[in-house]
Amino acid sequence: MTLLYVLLAILVFGLLIMIHELGHFLVARACGVGIHEYSIGMGPKLISKKSEKTGTEYSLRALPIGGYVSMVGEDEESDSPEAFGNKPVWQRILIVLAGPFMNVLLGFLLMSILVISTPQLASTTIGAFNEDATSPSYGLQVGDTVTHVNGVRVHTGNELVYEILNDGYKPIDLTVIRGGEKTEINDVIFPGITAEGIHFGSADFRVFAEEKSFGNVIKHGFFRSVSTVKMIFDQLGDMIGGRYGMNAVSGPVGVTEEMVNAAKSGAQNFLYLVIVITVNLGVFNLLPIPALDGGRLLFLLVEAVTRKPVNKNIEGYIHFAGLMLLLLLTAFIFCKDITGLFVK
């Protein structure tokens, strides 16, 4: 049974990569850019077929750790009217953005499915406190509708719980609506929890449910998706700030293990993890790192501002150096994940 879960995780991971690359592919074709190869996976080819009509080669490769769309004139000079480098800069920007956009869009769509399948929608109105609750001692009351946590607007119970989880390991400020009026509650302390040496806050209350209307489903789907994007940026910031170490970073092996565990614990947990991964894939690729979509986007924005393309050789060297660093990082994370499978 575990093998089936592993195969399911690899399949889903491959589909997320396929959707990302499909975004680049479709927009490139719409802009008239020629495609050498559309590949899912890296390394040796397993299956390959070349289109007689377009000349594009479609490949499935052995390692499910990425993929690519190889475009005419992408990394080399070309006089072809189908060359990526000969297209207007705004079209090239759209092509680069299309991959991450597809991942984030998929995350929003899957979140809507998750919300629809959820029996109850959680509001931000306090319904009752747990026995070990500490927040009532600092002024939080039953019936309060929380609108902000440390200045961050919350619209759903899931956002409220996440913001307390993320920031509640230290005193936090809450804004609530009480009796129709806005009230500020400062330095509220919530119970703390520690997982793998990292401190978090714990919501010590339960909230009222909301009516599962069409409008509320749309609201929860949208704001939970936005919160997922924010969560990823929060984690990146905390990693740079030293709150999380490298142990919190996972590659394909670690992600597959988590997906297997989520699949075993239920369909909703598995779906939520897929949402987090696809949004993470989209956001990570937008970071201004050479060899990623964000790195290419940065060069295109420079060209758009200066109206002069960056020297192809210089850009190529920078992307190559970035790729080598990413491969080294991937190898390190791969070894860490493999070690983690045997050392718990």
Side-chain angles (χ1 to χ4, degrees):
M1 185 63 72
T2 298
L3 178 59
L4 292 177
Y5 286 128
V6 170
L7 292 175
L8 174 63
I10 292 173
L11 176 62
V12 170
F13 197 63
L15 287 173
L16 297 184
I17 294 170
M18 183 187 74
I19 288 169
H20 178 96
E21 300 303 335
L22 185 62
H24 293 310
F25 177 83
L26 292 176
V27 177
R29 289 292 296 270
C31 293
V33 176
I35 309 295
H36 290 308
E37 184 180 358
Y38 173 71
S39 175
I40 304 302
M42 307 290 279
K45 291 180 185 179
L46 297 177
I47 304 172
S48 181
K49 181 175 178 59
K50 192 168 187 176
S51 169
E52 295 181 1
K53 181 179 179 180
T54 64
T56 301
E57 186 175 9
Y58 299 89
S59 304
L60 177 65
R61 294 177 179 265
L63 303 177
I65 58 174
Y68 58 87
V69 173
S70 175
M71 294 176 277
V72 175
E74 182 179 10
D75 295 312
E76 74 281 349
E77 297 292 341
S78 174
D79 295 328
S80 171
E82 292 189 330
F84 174 83
N86 293 335
K87 298 298 179 180
V89 67
W90 66 268
Q91 290 188 358
R92 285 177 277 150
I93 288 174
L94 288 181
I95 293 169
V96 169
L97 287 175
F101 172 79
M102 288 286 279
N103 284 125
V104 174
L105 176 62
L106 177 64
F108 274 60
L109 294 175
L110 292 179
M111 184 64 81
S112 298
I113 294 173
L114 179 62
V115 169
I116 291 171
S117 65
T118 301
Q120 290 185 324
L121 304 180
S123 73
T124 63
T125 301
I126 309 301
F129 289 100
N130 302 337
E131 291 184 1
D132 61 347
T134 59
S135 59
S137 302
Y138 298 89
L140 193 62
Q141 299 178 10
V142 170
D144 285 348
T145 298
V146 183
T147 62
H148 294 79
V149 178
N150 270 355
V152 176
R153 182 76 166 92
V154 293
H155 308 82
T156 69
N158 299 84
E159 291 176 273
L160 173 58
V161 169
Y162 165 70
E163 294 298 334
I164 292 174
L165 179 75
N166 190 50
D167 281 353
Y169 63 96
K170 58 184 185 297
I172 58 178
D173 299 331
L174 303 176
T175 302
V176 304
I177 302 298
R178 179 183 297 167
E181 296 184 356
K182 182 183 293 186
T183 301
E184 302 291 338
I185 310 174
N186 298 319
D187 298 327
V188 179
I189 295 178
F190 287 92
I193 55 177
T194 301
E196 298 183 3
I198 304 171
H199 302 295
F200 299 96
S202 176
D204 57 3
F205 53 78
R206 297 181 294 281
V207 296
F208 287 112
E210 286 187 337
E211 178 188 1
K212 200 173 180 180
S213 64
F214 177 78
N216 280 337
V217 167
I218 297 298
K219 181 187 80 171
H220 279 253
F222 176 78
F223 285 113
R224 286 188 64 181
S225 298
V226 172
S227 181
T228 301
V229 175
K230 179 182 179 296
M231 177 183 71
I232 292 167
F233 280 107
D234 286 343
Q235 291 174 345
L236 286 171
D238 286 337
M239 190 173 299
I240 293 171
R243 182 180 176 190
Y244 303 144
M246 285 301 297
N247 287 336
V249 181
S250 291
V253 174
V255 169
T256 299
E257 183 184 16
E258 290 302 318
M259 293 181 76
V260 168
N261 293 334
K264 289 180 177 180
S265 64
Q268 285 200 330
N269 289 337
F270 181 73
L271 180 57
Y272 179 68
L273 184 57
V274 172
I275 293 168
V276 171
I277 292 171
T278 187
V279 174
N280 205 323
L281 187 60
V283 171
F284 180 74
N285 267 280
L286 284 176
L287 296 178
I289 299 173
L292 295 182
D293 294 329
R296 295 185 180 276
L297 177 63
L298 183 61
F299 282 104
L300 290 173
L301 292 176
V302 169
E303 179 181 344
V305 171
T306 64
R307 300 191 176 184
K308 183 179 179 181
V310 178
N311 184 283
K312 282 283 186 184
N313 291 330
I314 294 175
E315 182 179 351
Y317 290 139
I318 292 174
H319 287 314
F320 179 78
L323 179 61
M324 291 301 101
L325 290 174
L326 284 174
L327 289 175
L328 286 174
L329 179 61
T330 301
F332 171 77
I333 294 173
F334 179 82
C335 293
K336 178 187 74 68
D337 289 344
I338 290 295
T339 303
L341 292 176
F342 301 99
V343 181
K344 296 292 185 179

